[in-house]
Amino acid sequence: MAGEETHKGRDGGGVATAEESLSVTDNRTGQTYEMEITDGTVRAMDFRAIKVSEDDFGLMTYDPAFKNTASTRSEVTYIDGDAGILEYRGYSIEQLSEHSTYLEVAYLLIYGELPTKQQYERWEHDITHHTYVHENIKKSMEAFRYDAHPMGMLLATVGALSTFYPGSNNINDEHEQCMAAVRLIAKMPTLAAFAYRHNLGLPYIYPDNDLNYPENFLSMLFKMAEWKYEPDDRLARALDVLFILHADHEQNASTNAVRGVGSTQVDPYSAIAAGVSALYGPLHGGANEQVLRMLDRIGSTDNIPDFLEGVKNREERLMGFGHRVYKNYDPRARIIKRHVDQVLDVTGKSPKLEIAVELEKRALDDEFFTERKLYPNVDYYSGLIYEALGMPTAMFTVIFAIPRTSGWVAQWLELVGDDEQAIARPRQVYSGYREREYVSIDER
Ligand code: ACO
């Protein structure tokens, strides 16, 4: 060990073994510190012991946008971004999208295990019987401007739910936790559909308990004067698969928002409203909306080379490409791509699909994208399905929020039960002025 003195890291915890430790020499003092490596990580707090003097605050780690910081331990979702692997509770996304339903996946995410038949029936019954919302929620949605963005309506209304369920403030009460999970998963499609109908000036459609989760959502979106809405099985299944694919994605921006806000011990509705807000952003859930706008702008396959030049010159961004974690083809994009054709078989061809396929092909042949490991992400093709289903682009992110709710709830539950967590409050490196003299307004 180099240096004068060796300090033990991890809050005075166990001494690190030579193989599972990191030796850091502070060249300012010549001292060497040993830090334990666990699961490929060192603890940022261990750096605090590295000081130049007794009254020094100690070293911090600087990581804007959390590019290399693990904020939690989690057992919910596993991603290997280089290999293109996504698993919920250990089950591959390929198997789940092939054999499962969204509601079963939601149960898996929240409870950690696939349900037995009896548990599933109970779960489905509970979700189905909590799809209605208080009439005042409906009235408050009616008060939005006729052209309000449905995502803005959704995020405000999810936040408002907390006022209808004040008991949810008891965040450690198991019954309240279960009720919040059921209510949020059950009501999200209702709120999403109300926001959609509001935009069109159509009456809101109440849930139909005879239909399953995706069928009921389609009914609330599209039912008109008919006595009973009869959804096409293929469209309902495609929607259910999209729900499965979007259910969770470990510590993505919106989940981080839910956890960050949830760490204040606020009720789950308010925490999940923060997730909806984060999802609204064009670099996150808003990307699928942007993909369709981009394909519209490109207009024809002839214009693809010019568009790609613009991307390379940094005048444009190829929306639906690239991912913080995946440096390979996003496995969800591969599954969605297969379903695009099935949906278009029912709804008719889309000229945008031709542009999307050609654009993907050219980008994947281009060094600019291959060097940076930029591949299609989940949003590249999902917008095409939503559009084929008759959804306006403004609804795309809203539909994303429906299944992501189960992931947010699962992650929030994990946060609440995690003794290592505390209020999420990062540090800063202050780079502004200090100790300035106030100058009166006449003298400035
Ligand atoms: N088009 C063109 N260039 C890109 C793109 C893109 N879509 N994505 C990344 N790059 C380039 C960057 O300019 C950068 O190049 P440089 O190293 O020469 O400066 C390099 O690739 C690395 O990109 P970063 O922006 O550093 O990657 P980061 O991890 O911060 O961003 C993100 C990831 C936000 C998803 C980014 O790839 C992006 O903006 N994609 C388009 C938006 C999108 O599709 N978002 C959906 C993500 S999936 C989801 O939220 C569900």
Side-chain angles (χ1 to χ4, degrees):
M1 242 172 280
E4 292 171 9
E5 203 182 326
T6 300
H7 290 246
K8 187 174 64 181
R10 185 63 54 86
D11 306 324
V15 182
T17 61
E19 309 82 57
E20 294 300 324
S21 69
L22 175 74
S23 299
V24 178
T25 301
D26 183 349
N27 293 322
R28 299 171 302 176
T29 60
Q31 284 186 4
T32 295
Y33 300 79
E34 282 222 354
M35 288 163 198
E36 201 177 319
I37 299 177
T38 312
D39 299 325
T41 61
V42 290
R43 294 211 165 212
M45 277 304 284
D46 284 354
F47 285 81
R48 193 67 85 66
I50 303 180
K51 300 179 176 198
V52 283
S53 62
E54 261 313 298
D55 56 358
D56 182 4
F57 181 76
L59 270 191
M60 293 190 293
T61 54
Y62 179 61
D63 188 12
F66 304 128
K67 290 199 175 183
N68 196 36
T69 294
S71 61
T72 186
R73 293 182 167 277
S74 182
E75 298 180 354
V76 182
T77 290
Y78 173 77
I79 300 176
D80 181 334
D82 293 325
I85 293 173
L86 170 60
E87 293 171 358
Y88 299 154
R89 303 281 189 187
Y91 295 97
S92 77
I93 196 68
E94 286 79 11
Q95 284 197 33
L96 292 171
S97 58
E98 178 88 28
H99 304 297
S100 190
T101 62
Y102 166 66
L103 273 196
E104 186 178 59
V105 166
Y107 185 100
L108 171 69
L109 287 168
I110 286 167
Y111 292 102
E113 295 295 338
L114 286 168
T116 61
K117 196 165 185 298
Q118 204 184 10
Q119 286 167 333
Y120 185 71
E121 281 167 6
R122 175 75 201 266
W123 175 243
E124 193 176 30
H125 175 275
D126 287 351
I127 300 284
T128 307
H129 288 85
H130 283 88
T131 47
Y132 273 63
V133 293
H134 193 290
E135 279 295 293
N136 287 356
I137 286 274
K138 186 173 148 241
K139 285 184 201 145
S140 76
M141 291 187 81
E142 281 166 355
F144 278 93
R145 261 179 68 135
Y146 72 97
D147 59 351
H149 194 293
M151 195 63 174
M153 291 178 68
L154 185 73
L155 82 87
T157 311
V158 171
L161 283 179
S162 70
T163 65
F164 289 81
Y165 307 108
S168 64
N169 277 331
N170 301 319
I171 58 164
N172 294 309
D173 181 299
E174 224 173 281
H175 174 69
E176 287 294 344
Q177 290 177 348
C178 285
M179 288 311 298
V182 167
R183 284 188 185 121
L184 276 158
I185 294 168
K187 296 185 198 308
M188 207 55 116
T190 313
L191 302 181
F194 283 7
Y196 169 74
R197 305 279 296 200
H198 182 84
N199 253 239
L200 298 176
L202 290 170
Y204 301 174
I205 300 293
Y206 288 105
D208 179 342
N209 288 0
D210 294 337
L211 300 175
N212 69 25
Y213 195 84
E215 289 170 346
N216 174 49
F217 181 51
L218 289 171
S219 166
M220 290 189 291
L221 289 172
F222 299 129
K223 186 172 179 298
M224 295 302 288
E226 66 271 37
W227 171 243
K228 191 134 189 105
Y229 181 78
E230 285 175 12
D232 185 297
D233 289 349
R234 292 163 297 178
L235 298 187
R237 178 61 192 159
L239 191 59
D240 209 38
V241 169
L242 278 172
F243 284 173
I244 292 172
L245 299 178
H246 285 86
D248 194 52
H249 212 231
E250 52 121 303
Q251 306 313 312
N252 58 87
S254 57
T255 299
N256 183 57
V258 170
R259 280 182 174 264
V261 172
S263 77
T264 65
Q265 303 196 344
V266 74
D267 69 88
Y269 300 99
S270 303
I272 276 146
V276 179
S277 304
L279 194 65
Y280 200 175
L283 293 188
H284 191 11
N288 51 17
E289 189 175 333
Q290 298 304 325
V291 171
L292 269 265
R293 294 195 202 286
M294 173 187 77
L295 295 174
D296 262 338
R297 263 200 340 272
I298 297 174
S300 124
T301 48
D302 296 342
N303 299 330
I304 291 176
D306 281 351
F307 174 78
L308 287 178
E309 270 317 298
V311 173
K312 290 194 251 178
N313 296 334
R314 320 252 167 204
E315 292 150 13
E316 298 267 8
R317 193 152 262 245
L318 177 43
M319 299 310 285
F321 256 65
H323 199 277
R324 173 63 59 79
V325 179
Y326 292 118
K327 301 303 168 198
N328 199 328
Y329 213 101
D330 181 336
R332 301 167 300 173
R334 216 183 284 284
I335 297 166
I336 292 184
K337 201 175 169 184
R338 283 203 298 273
H339 281 271
V340 173
D341 288 333
Q342 287 168 19
V343 169
L344 293 181
D345 278 349
V346 182
T347 60
K349 288 270 163 276
S350 153
K352 285 196 199 102
L353 176 64
E354 198 197 340
I355 302 173
V357 169
E358 186 60 24
L359 181 59
E360 177 195 340
K361 198 163 140 267
R362 300 237 191 152
L364 295 181
D365 268 348
D366 193 312
E367 265 184 7
F368 177 90
F369 298 94
T370 49
E371 265 173 10
R372 290 171 176 78
K373 299 191 174 162
L374 299 172
Y375 295 89
N377 61 49
V378 67
D379 285 326
Y380 192 69
Y381 285 106
S382 62
L384 285 164
I385 296 196
Y386 297 143
E387 189 182 64
L389 289 173
M391 235 51 94
T393 43
M395 274 298 287
F396 294 178
T397 319
V398 174
I399 302 174
F400 187 164
I402 294 174
R404 184 51 60 86
T405 299
S406 59
W408 289 330
V409 172
Q411 301 270 351
W412 173 78
L413 286 166
E414 197 173 61
L415 167 90
V416 171
D418 184 347
D419 292 339
E420 263 199 306
Q421 293 293 337
I423 187 166
R425 201 297 188 188
R427 296 270 169 188
Q428 66 168 4
V429 177
Y430 180 68
S431 57
Y433 293 109
R434 289 288 324 280
E435 299 180 356
R436 304 171 89 189
E437 284 298 325
Y438 180 79
V439 181
S440 75
I441 196 157
D442 306 331
E443 292 169 34
R444 280 175 226 155

